[in-house]
Amino acid sequence: MDQFIVSGGRPLRGRVRVSGSKNAALPILISTLLTDVPCVIDNVPDLRDIHTTLRLIEQLGKRVEWIGSTVRVRVARPLGTAAPYDLVKQMRASILVAGPLLARRRRARVALPGGCAIGLRPIDIHLAGFRRMGVGVSFSHGDVVLRTRRLRPADIRLRFPSVGATENLMMAAAGIPGTTVIRNAAREPEIVDLARFLESLGACVIGAGGAVVRVDGAARLGGARHSVIADRIETGTLLIACLAAGGNIRVEGAGGEHLRAVLDALARAGAKVREEDGGIRITAAGRPRPVSIRTRPYPGFPTDLQAPWMAAMSVGRGRSRIREEIFEKRFLHAAELGRMGAWIRTDGEIADLEGVPRLHGAPVMASDIRAGAALLVAAVAARGRSEIHRVYHIDRGYERVEVKLRALGVRIRRVNPEKSSARAQLPS
Ligand code: UD1
Protein backbone atom coordinates (compact mmCIF):
# COMPACT_ATOMS: atom_id res chain seq x y z
CA MET A 1 0.00 0.00 0.00
CA ASP A 2 1.25 3.46 -0.88
CA GLN A 3 2.49 5.89 1.74
CA PHE A 4 3.39 9.56 1.64
CA ILE A 5 6.67 10.68 3.11
CA VAL A 6 6.52 14.39 3.90
CA SER A 7 9.28 16.67 5.20
CA GLY A 8 7.28 19.60 6.47
CA GLY A 9 7.77 22.92 8.14
CA ARG A 10 8.41 25.16 5.13
CA PRO A 11 6.04 27.82 3.82
CA LEU A 12 4.13 27.08 0.61
CA ARG A 13 4.86 29.08 -2.51
CA GLY A 14 3.59 28.87 -6.06
CA ARG A 15 0.45 28.13 -7.99
CA VAL A 16 -1.60 25.03 -8.52
CA ARG A 17 -4.69 24.16 -10.56
CA VAL A 18 -7.73 22.72 -8.85
CA SER A 19 -9.39 19.61 -10.35
CA GLY A 20 -13.02 19.05 -11.22
CA SER A 21 -15.34 18.32 -8.31
CA LYS A 22 -15.60 14.67 -7.32
CA ASN A 23 -18.94 15.17 -5.62
CA ALA A 24 -20.39 16.90 -8.67
CA ALA A 25 -18.91 14.42 -11.17
CA LEU A 26 -20.34 11.34 -9.38
CA PRO A 27 -24.08 12.12 -9.75
CA ILE A 28 -23.55 13.63 -13.20
CA LEU A 29 -21.86 10.46 -14.49
CA ILE A 30 -24.56 8.37 -12.85
CA SER A 31 -27.33 10.42 -14.42
CA THR A 32 -26.10 9.43 -17.89
CA LEU A 33 -28.07 6.25 -17.05
CA LEU A 34 -31.17 8.37 -17.68
CA THR A 35 -30.57 8.50 -21.42
CA ASP A 36 -29.60 6.26 -24.33
CA VAL A 37 -28.04 9.16 -26.20
CA PRO A 38 -24.23 9.59 -25.83
CA CYS A 39 -22.95 12.13 -23.31
CA VAL A 40 -19.59 13.81 -22.88
CA ILE A 41 -18.45 14.98 -19.46
CA ASP A 42 -15.40 17.26 -19.20
CA ASN A 43 -13.23 18.22 -16.22
CA VAL A 44 -13.63 14.82 -14.54
CA PRO A 45 -10.95 14.22 -11.87
CA ASP A 46 -8.89 11.02 -12.00
CA LEU A 47 -9.87 9.56 -8.63
CA ARG A 48 -10.63 6.16 -7.21
CA ASP A 49 -14.29 7.04 -6.62
CA ILE A 50 -14.64 8.06 -10.26
CA HIS A 51 -13.12 4.74 -11.38
CA THR A 52 -15.65 2.95 -9.16
CA THR A 53 -18.51 5.03 -10.61
CA LEU A 54 -17.46 4.27 -14.17
CA ARG A 55 -17.26 0.54 -13.40
CA LEU A 56 -20.70 0.77 -11.88
CA ILE A 57 -22.30 2.41 -14.93
CA GLU A 58 -20.44 -0.01 -17.21
CA GLN A 59 -21.88 -2.87 -15.23
CA LEU A 60 -25.32 -1.32 -15.74
CA GLY A 61 -24.90 -1.27 -19.53
CA LYS A 62 -22.83 1.76 -20.54
CA ARG A 63 -19.60 1.89 -22.50
CA VAL A 64 -17.16 4.43 -21.16
CA GLU A 65 -14.16 6.05 -22.78
CA TRP A 66 -11.94 8.20 -20.57
CA ILE A 67 -9.26 10.35 -22.17
CA GLY A 68 -7.52 13.03 -20.11
CA SER A 69 -10.26 14.60 -18.05
CA THR A 70 -13.02 13.85 -20.58
CA VAL A 71 -15.37 10.91 -20.20
CA ARG A 72 -17.58 9.77 -23.08
CA VAL A 73 -20.52 7.58 -22.16
CA ARG A 74 -22.72 5.64 -24.55
CA VAL A 75 -24.92 2.58 -24.55
CA ALA A 76 -23.34 -0.88 -24.82
CA ARG A 77 -26.16 -3.14 -23.60
CA PRO A 78 -29.72 -2.78 -22.33
CA LEU A 79 -29.84 -1.05 -18.95
CA GLY A 80 -29.38 -3.37 -15.94
CA THR A 81 -31.06 -2.96 -12.57
CA ALA A 82 -28.58 -4.13 -9.94
CA ALA A 83 -25.61 -2.48 -8.23
CA PRO A 84 -23.48 -5.27 -6.74
CA TYR A 85 -21.87 -5.29 -3.31
CA ASP A 86 -18.26 -5.41 -4.56
CA LEU A 87 -18.69 -1.91 -6.00
CA VAL A 88 -21.11 -0.44 -3.45
CA LYS A 89 -18.83 -1.36 -0.55
CA GLN A 90 -16.12 0.79 -2.13
CA MET A 91 -18.34 3.84 -2.45
CA ARG A 92 -21.47 4.68 -0.52
CA ALA A 93 -22.61 7.07 -3.28
CA SER A 94 -23.48 3.99 -5.39
CA ILE A 95 -27.00 4.30 -3.99
CA LEU A 96 -27.41 7.19 -6.46
CA VAL A 97 -28.03 4.71 -9.29
CA ALA A 98 -31.45 3.99 -7.72
CA GLY A 99 -33.05 7.21 -9.00
CA PRO A 100 -32.19 6.76 -12.70
CA LEU A 101 -32.92 3.01 -12.61
CA LEU A 102 -36.35 3.54 -11.06
CA ALA A 103 -37.18 6.14 -13.69
CA ARG A 104 -36.13 3.90 -16.56
CA ARG A 105 -36.63 0.32 -15.37
CA ARG A 106 -39.10 0.79 -12.50
CA ARG A 107 -36.86 -1.31 -10.29
CA ALA A 108 -33.45 -1.20 -8.71
CA ARG A 109 -31.52 -3.51 -6.46
CA VAL A 110 -28.61 -1.88 -4.65
CA ALA A 111 -26.38 -3.55 -2.08
CA LEU A 112 -26.52 -1.70 1.22
CA PRO A 113 -23.28 0.05 1.93
CA GLY A 114 -21.33 -1.24 4.95
CA GLY A 115 -22.08 0.44 8.25
CA CYS A 116 -25.81 0.19 7.67
CA ALA A 117 -26.01 -2.45 10.40
CA ILE A 118 -26.85 0.36 12.82
CA GLY A 119 -30.31 0.62 11.26
CA LEU A 120 -31.35 1.88 7.88
CA ARG A 121 -30.88 5.49 8.82
CA PRO A 122 -28.14 6.39 6.36
CA ILE A 123 -30.45 6.05 3.35
CA ASP A 124 -33.82 6.53 5.04
CA ILE A 125 -34.29 9.98 3.45
CA HIS A 126 -33.72 8.57 -0.04
CA LEU A 127 -36.19 5.76 0.66
CA ALA A 128 -38.86 8.02 2.16
CA GLY A 129 -38.70 10.14 -1.00
CA PHE A 130 -38.97 7.13 -3.31
CA ARG A 131 -41.95 5.84 -1.31
CA ARG A 132 -43.68 9.17 -1.99
CA MET A 133 -43.09 8.50 -5.69
CA GLY A 134 -44.90 5.16 -5.43
CA VAL A 135 -41.95 2.85 -4.84
CA GLY A 136 -42.15 -0.28 -2.70
CA VAL A 137 -39.07 -0.90 -0.55
CA SER A 138 -37.88 -4.26 0.74
CA PHE A 139 -34.61 -5.78 1.88
CA SER A 140 -33.10 -9.05 0.80
CA HIS A 141 -29.66 -10.58 1.30
CA GLY A 142 -28.04 -7.28 2.24
CA ASP A 143 -29.59 -5.44 -0.71
CA VAL A 144 -32.31 -2.81 -0.80
CA VAL A 145 -34.88 -3.78 -3.43
CA LEU A 146 -36.97 -0.99 -4.95
CA ARG A 147 -39.95 -1.65 -7.18
CA THR A 148 -42.80 0.31 -8.64
CA ARG A 149 -45.52 -0.25 -11.21
CA ARG A 150 -45.35 3.38 -12.17
CA LEU A 151 -42.93 5.95 -10.81
CA ARG A 152 -44.98 9.07 -10.25
CA PRO A 153 -44.05 12.70 -9.61
CA ALA A 154 -44.59 13.79 -6.01
CA ASP A 155 -44.35 16.60 -3.50
CA ILE A 156 -41.57 15.52 -1.11
CA ARG A 157 -40.28 17.14 2.07
CA LEU A 158 -36.90 15.88 3.28
CA ARG A 159 -36.49 15.57 7.06
CA PHE A 160 -32.90 16.81 6.60
CA PRO A 161 -31.33 18.43 3.51
CA SER A 162 -29.37 15.32 2.50
CA VAL A 163 -27.15 15.93 -0.52
CA GLY A 164 -27.41 12.36 -1.82
CA ALA A 165 -31.18 12.10 -1.30
CA THR A 166 -31.76 15.41 -3.10
CA GLU A 167 -29.67 14.19 -6.04
CA ASN A 168 -31.28 10.76 -6.15
CA LEU A 169 -34.79 12.22 -6.18
CA MET A 170 -33.87 14.89 -8.76
CA MET A 171 -32.57 12.17 -11.09
CA ALA A 172 -35.63 9.97 -10.60
CA ALA A 173 -37.91 12.96 -11.25
CA ALA A 174 -35.98 14.03 -14.35
CA GLY A 175 -36.68 10.67 -16.01
CA ILE A 176 -40.49 10.77 -15.75
CA PRO A 177 -43.11 13.19 -17.09
CA GLY A 178 -44.72 15.54 -14.55
CA THR A 179 -43.56 17.88 -11.82
CA THR A 180 -41.81 16.73 -8.66
CA VAL A 181 -41.19 19.20 -5.86
CA ILE A 182 -38.40 18.56 -3.33
CA ARG A 183 -38.67 20.67 -0.18
CA ASN A 184 -35.92 21.21 2.39
CA ALA A 185 -33.57 20.21 -0.42
CA ALA A 186 -29.79 20.37 -0.05
CA ARG A 187 -28.40 23.59 -1.53
CA GLU A 188 -24.81 22.54 -2.26
CA PRO A 189 -23.16 23.80 -5.49
CA GLU A 190 -22.91 20.17 -6.65
CA ILE A 191 -26.72 20.04 -6.69
CA VAL A 192 -26.76 23.08 -8.94
CA ASP A 193 -24.23 21.46 -11.29
CA LEU A 194 -26.35 18.30 -11.47
CA ALA A 195 -29.41 20.45 -12.20
CA ARG A 196 -27.56 22.12 -15.08
CA PHE A 197 -26.68 18.72 -16.51
CA LEU A 198 -30.24 17.39 -16.17
CA GLU A 199 -31.43 20.53 -17.93
CA SER A 200 -29.07 19.95 -20.81
CA LEU A 201 -30.48 16.41 -21.09
CA GLY A 202 -33.91 17.99 -21.54
CA ALA A 203 -35.48 18.11 -18.07
CA CYS A 204 -36.56 21.40 -16.55
CA VAL A 205 -35.14 22.10 -13.08
CA ILE A 206 -36.12 25.22 -11.18
CA GLY A 207 -34.79 26.36 -7.83
CA ALA A 208 -31.61 24.25 -7.49
CA GLY A 209 -29.35 25.94 -4.96
CA GLY A 210 -32.42 26.91 -2.92
CA ALA A 211 -34.51 24.93 -0.44
CA VAL A 212 -37.26 24.07 -2.94
CA VAL A 213 -36.36 22.31 -6.17
CA ARG A 214 -38.94 21.68 -8.88
CA VAL A 215 -38.16 19.09 -11.53
CA ASP A 216 -40.21 18.69 -14.68
CA GLY A 217 -39.05 15.47 -16.25
CA ALA A 218 -39.55 13.55 -19.47
CA ALA A 219 -39.71 9.86 -20.37
CA ARG A 220 -37.09 10.37 -23.05
CA LEU A 221 -34.06 12.52 -22.43
CA GLY A 222 -31.34 13.46 -24.89
CA GLY A 223 -27.54 13.64 -24.69
CA ALA A 224 -25.32 16.50 -23.60
CA ARG A 225 -21.80 17.77 -23.14
CA HIS A 226 -21.06 19.21 -19.73
CA SER A 227 -18.04 20.50 -17.84
CA VAL A 228 -17.92 19.71 -14.11
CA ILE A 229 -17.42 22.60 -11.65
CA ALA A 230 -14.14 23.07 -9.76
CA ASP A 231 -13.70 21.10 -6.54
CA ARG A 232 -14.41 23.50 -3.68
CA ILE A 233 -13.22 20.98 -1.09
CA GLU A 234 -9.85 20.49 -2.77
CA THR A 235 -9.54 24.27 -3.07
CA GLY A 236 -10.40 24.71 0.61
CA THR A 237 -7.89 22.03 1.64
CA LEU A 238 -5.04 23.74 -0.25
CA LEU A 239 -5.95 27.15 1.22
CA ILE A 240 -6.09 25.66 4.73
CA ALA A 241 -2.70 23.98 4.19
CA CYS A 242 -1.28 27.41 3.42
CA LEU A 243 -2.89 28.84 6.55
CA ALA A 244 -1.26 26.10 8.64
CA ALA A 245 2.21 26.17 7.05
CA GLY A 246 2.32 29.85 6.04
CA GLY A 247 3.30 31.09 2.59
CA ASN A 248 1.73 32.58 -0.48
CA ILE A 249 -0.09 30.47 -3.07
CA ARG A 250 -2.61 30.87 -5.85
CA VAL A 251 -5.21 28.17 -6.51
CA GLU A 252 -6.05 28.41 -10.21
CA GLY A 253 -9.50 27.69 -11.52
CA ALA A 254 -11.09 28.16 -8.08
CA GLY A 255 -13.88 30.61 -7.38
CA GLY A 256 -14.74 32.05 -3.99
CA GLU A 257 -18.51 31.99 -4.49
CA HIS A 258 -18.77 28.36 -3.31
CA LEU A 259 -16.46 28.84 -0.34
CA ARG A 260 -17.80 31.91 1.46
CA ALA A 261 -17.87 30.36 4.96
CA VAL A 262 -14.35 28.99 4.53
CA LEU A 263 -12.84 32.20 3.11
CA ASP A 264 -14.42 34.05 6.00
CA ALA A 265 -12.88 31.65 8.55
CA LEU A 266 -9.47 31.92 6.82
CA ALA A 267 -9.62 35.72 7.01
CA ARG A 268 -10.59 35.61 10.68
CA ALA A 269 -7.63 33.28 11.27
CA GLY A 270 -5.36 36.03 9.94
CA ALA A 271 -4.77 34.96 6.33
CA LYS A 272 -5.05 37.45 3.50
CA VAL A 273 -7.38 35.95 0.92
CA ARG A 274 -7.84 37.61 -2.46
CA GLU A 275 -10.28 36.49 -5.11
CA GLU A 276 -8.48 37.20 -8.38
CA ASP A 277 -9.39 36.68 -11.98
CA GLY A 278 -9.55 32.89 -12.45
CA GLY A 279 -8.24 31.92 -9.02
CA ILE A 280 -7.83 32.57 -5.31
CA ARG A 281 -4.64 33.82 -3.69
CA ILE A 282 -3.84 33.34 -0.03
CA THR A 283 -0.99 34.77 2.02
CA ALA A 284 -0.39 33.64 5.58
CA ALA A 285 2.44 34.08 8.06
CA GLY A 286 3.00 32.85 11.58
CA ARG A 287 0.56 30.79 13.64
CA PRO A 288 -3.13 31.21 12.76
CA ARG A 289 -5.48 33.01 15.11
CA PRO A 290 -7.81 30.46 16.73
CA VAL A 291 -11.19 30.37 14.98
CA SER A 292 -14.01 28.12 16.16
CA ILE A 293 -16.32 26.63 13.55
CA ARG A 294 -19.40 24.46 13.34
CA THR A 295 -20.17 22.39 10.28
CA ARG A 296 -23.51 23.05 8.62
CA PRO A 297 -25.28 22.19 5.38
CA TYR A 298 -24.32 24.59 2.56
CA PRO A 299 -23.79 27.56 2.70
CA GLY A 300 -22.37 26.80 6.17
CA PHE A 301 -18.86 25.54 6.86
CA PRO A 302 -18.56 22.19 4.99
CA THR A 303 -18.09 19.03 7.02
CA ASP A 304 -15.59 17.90 4.39
CA LEU A 305 -13.23 20.68 5.49
CA GLN A 306 -13.68 20.13 9.22
CA ALA A 307 -10.73 17.75 9.49
CA PRO A 308 -8.25 19.96 7.57
CA TRP A 309 -9.45 22.93 9.65
CA MET A 310 -8.71 20.99 12.82
CA ALA A 311 -5.17 20.36 11.58
CA ALA A 312 -4.65 24.10 11.03
CA MET A 313 -6.18 25.04 14.38
CA SER A 314 -3.83 22.54 16.09
CA VAL A 315 -1.13 25.19 15.64
CA GLY A 316 -3.46 28.12 16.37
CA ARG A 317 -2.44 30.81 18.85
CA GLY A 318 -4.90 29.68 21.50
CA ARG A 319 -8.08 27.74 22.09
CA SER A 320 -10.71 26.90 19.52
CA ARG A 321 -13.71 24.62 19.32
CA ILE A 322 -15.01 22.55 16.43
CA ARG A 323 -18.56 21.30 16.40
CA GLU A 324 -19.40 18.58 13.85
CA GLU A 325 -23.11 18.76 13.18
CA ILE A 326 -23.41 16.70 9.98
CA PHE A 327 -21.72 13.34 10.58
CA GLU A 328 -21.34 11.30 13.74
CA LYS A 329 -17.93 9.92 14.60
CA ARG A 330 -16.12 12.23 12.21
CA PHE A 331 -13.21 12.96 14.57
CA LEU A 332 -11.05 9.92 13.84
CA HIS A 333 -8.25 12.24 12.74
CA ALA A 334 -8.01 13.87 16.20
CA ALA A 335 -6.05 10.99 17.74
CA GLU A 336 -3.66 10.87 14.77
CA LEU A 337 -3.10 14.62 15.02
CA GLY A 338 -2.36 13.98 18.69
CA ARG A 339 0.51 11.72 17.60
CA MET A 340 1.98 14.78 15.89
CA GLY A 341 1.78 16.83 19.07
CA ALA A 342 -1.68 18.41 18.73
CA TRP A 343 -3.74 18.96 21.88
CA ILE A 344 -7.34 17.98 21.11
CA ARG A 345 -10.09 16.68 23.36
CA THR A 346 -13.24 15.29 21.75
CA ASP A 347 -16.60 14.69 23.34
CA GLY A 348 -19.50 13.69 21.07
CA GLU A 349 -19.87 16.31 18.38
CA ILE A 350 -17.41 18.72 19.99
CA ALA A 351 -13.64 18.94 19.71
CA ASP A 352 -11.74 21.39 21.92
CA LEU A 353 -8.28 22.40 20.81
CA GLU A 354 -5.43 24.20 22.51
CA GLY A 355 -3.05 25.34 19.79
CA VAL A 356 0.59 24.28 20.14
CA PRO A 357 3.54 26.26 18.71
CA ARG A 358 4.56 23.42 16.36
CA LEU A 359 3.51 19.97 15.28
CA HIS A 360 6.23 17.40 14.78
CA GLY A 361 6.40 14.77 12.06
CA ALA A 362 5.27 11.24 12.94
CA PRO A 363 4.00 8.04 11.33
CA VAL A 364 0.22 8.39 11.08
CA MET A 365 -2.67 6.60 9.40
CA ALA A 366 -5.52 7.98 7.28
CA SER A 367 -8.94 6.56 8.20
CA ASP A 368 -11.05 8.28 5.53
CA ILE A 369 -10.66 10.84 2.75
CA ARG A 370 -10.94 13.97 4.83
CA ALA A 371 -9.05 12.60 7.84
CA GLY A 372 -6.29 11.82 5.34
CA ALA A 373 -6.41 15.41 4.10
CA ALA A 374 -6.07 16.64 7.69
CA LEU A 375 -2.95 14.53 8.14
CA LEU A 376 -1.50 15.97 4.93
CA VAL A 377 -2.15 19.53 6.14
CA ALA A 378 -0.57 18.68 9.49
CA ALA A 379 2.43 16.97 7.88
CA VAL A 380 3.03 19.95 5.59
CA ALA A 381 3.01 22.30 8.58
CA ALA A 382 4.90 20.02 11.00
CA ARG A 383 8.62 20.13 11.56
CA GLY A 384 10.37 16.94 10.49
CA ARG A 385 9.40 13.79 8.67
CA SER A 386 5.93 12.29 8.58
CA GLU A 387 4.81 9.01 7.09
CA ILE A 388 1.17 8.91 6.10
CA HIS A 389 -0.18 5.38 5.79
CA ARG A 390 -3.28 4.23 3.92
CA VAL A 391 -2.95 6.88 1.25
CA TYR A 392 -5.67 5.11 -0.75
CA HIS A 393 -8.21 7.00 1.33
CA ILE A 394 -6.70 10.31 0.18
CA ASP A 395 -6.61 9.06 -3.43
CA ARG A 396 -10.40 8.66 -3.28
CA GLY A 397 -10.84 12.41 -3.11
CA TYR A 398 -7.68 14.26 -4.12
CA GLU A 399 -6.24 14.01 -7.61
CA ARG A 400 -2.44 13.57 -7.66
CA VAL A 401 -2.21 15.57 -4.47
CA GLU A 402 1.52 14.93 -4.07
CA VAL A 403 2.22 16.47 -7.51
CA LYS A 404 0.17 19.53 -6.58
CA LEU A 405 1.87 19.92 -3.20
CA ARG A 406 5.30 19.56 -4.82
CA ALA A 407 4.36 22.43 -7.15
CA LEU A 408 3.89 24.47 -3.97
CA GLY A 409 7.36 23.58 -2.72
CA VAL A 410 6.38 20.76 -0.36
CA ARG A 411 8.85 17.89 -0.05
CA ILE A 412 6.57 14.92 -0.48
CA ARG A 413 7.09 11.49 -2.02
CA ARG A 414 4.79 8.57 -2.68
CA VAL A 415 6.41 5.27 -1.77
CA ASN A 416 5.29 1.69 -1.74
CA PRO A 417 7.38 -0.27 0.75
CA GLU A 418 5.96 -3.64 -0.35
CA LYS A 419 6.87 -3.03 -3.98
CA SER A 420 10.32 -1.72 -3.12
CA SER A 421 11.04 -4.64 -0.80
CA ALA A 422 9.79 -7.05 -3.49
CA ARG A 423 12.12 -5.33 -5.93
CA ALA A 424 14.98 -5.59 -3.44
CA GLN A 425 14.42 -9.34 -3.34
CA LEU A 426 14.68 -9.75 -7.12
CA PRO A 427 17.95 -11.28 -8.29
CA SER A 428 20.11 -8.60 -9.86
C1 UD1 B 1 -22.34 14.17 0.45
C2 UD1 B 1 -20.91 14.23 0.02
C3 UD1 B 1 -19.98 14.20 1.22
C4 UD1 B 1 -20.36 15.29 2.21
C5 UD1 B 1 -21.85 15.22 2.55
C6 UD1 B 1 -22.32 16.37 3.42
C7 UD1 B 1 -20.98 13.10 -2.12
C8 UD1 B 1 -20.62 11.91 -2.93
N1 UD1 B 1 -20.63 13.09 -0.83
O1 UD1 B 1 -22.52 12.91 1.11
O2 UD1 B 1 -18.63 14.40 0.77
O3 UD1 B 1 -19.62 15.12 3.40
O4 UD1 B 1 -22.63 15.25 1.33
O5 UD1 B 1 -22.02 17.58 2.83
O6 UD1 B 1 -21.53 14.06 -2.63
N2 UD1 B 1 -28.45 10.93 6.35
C9 UD1 B 1 -29.45 10.17 6.89
N3 UD1 B 1 -30.31 9.53 6.05
C10 UD1 B 1 -30.21 9.61 4.69
C11 UD1 B 1 -29.18 10.37 4.14
C12 UD1 B 1 -28.31 11.03 4.99
O7 UD1 B 1 -29.59 10.09 8.11
O8 UD1 B 1 -31.03 9.00 3.99
C13 UD1 B 1 -27.50 11.63 7.24
C14 UD1 B 1 -26.08 11.12 7.06
O9 UD1 B 1 -25.85 9.97 7.84
C15 UD1 B 1 -25.28 12.31 7.50
C16 UD1 B 1 -26.12 13.51 7.02
O10 UD1 B 1 -27.44 13.00 6.87
O11 UD1 B 1 -25.19 12.36 8.90
C17 UD1 B 1 -25.66 14.14 5.72
O12 UD1 B 1 -25.69 13.18 4.69
P1 UD1 B 1 -25.85 13.57 3.15
O13 UD1 B 1 -26.07 15.03 3.01
O14 UD1 B 1 -26.82 12.63 2.53
O15 UD1 B 1 -24.38 13.24 2.62
P2 UD1 B 1 -23.98 12.36 1.38
O16 UD1 B 1 -24.85 12.65 0.22
O17 UD1 B 1 -23.83 10.94 1.81
Side-chain angles (χ1 to χ4, degrees), residues 21-24 26-27 49 91-96 120-128 159-167 186 188 190 232-233 296-298 302-305 324-328 330 369-370 396:
S21 158
K22 166 181 87 78
N23 286 353
L26 294 183
D49 276 11
M91 190 185 66
R92 296 179 51 83
S94 309
I95 184 67
L96 294 179
L120 299 167
R121 198 175 147 267
I123 56 165
D124 63 325
I125 305 173
H126 303 238
L127 299 184
R159 73 162 170 81
F160 176 86
S162 151
V163 174
T166 304
E167 292 167 347
E188 270 68 0
E190 294 76 22
R232 65 192 168 103
I233 304 301
R296 307 282 298 158
Y298 190 83
T303 173
D304 287 347
L305 288 174
E324 171 56 61
E325 298 195 358
I326 307 293
F327 284 102
E328 290 167 25
R330 209 178 203 191
I369 307 181
R370 309 306 169 188
R396 284 187 56 200

Side-chain angles (χ1 to χ4, degrees), residues 33-55:
L33 295 171
L34 283 165
T35 175
D36 283 337
V37 185
C39 293
V40 183
I41 316 296
D42 296 306
N43 204 27
V44 177
D46 185 356
L47 297 172
R48 271 170 60 106
D49 276 11
I50 299 290
H51 286 265
T52 308
T53 304
L54 296 182
R55 273 171 52 213

Side-chain angles (χ1 to χ4, degrees), residues 83-85 88 109-114 116 120 138-145:
Y85 181 62
V88 175
R109 183 177 184 123
V110 183
L112 287 169
C116 284
L120 299 167
S138 59
F139 299 94
S140 166
H141 292 97
D143 297 346
V144 57
V145 182

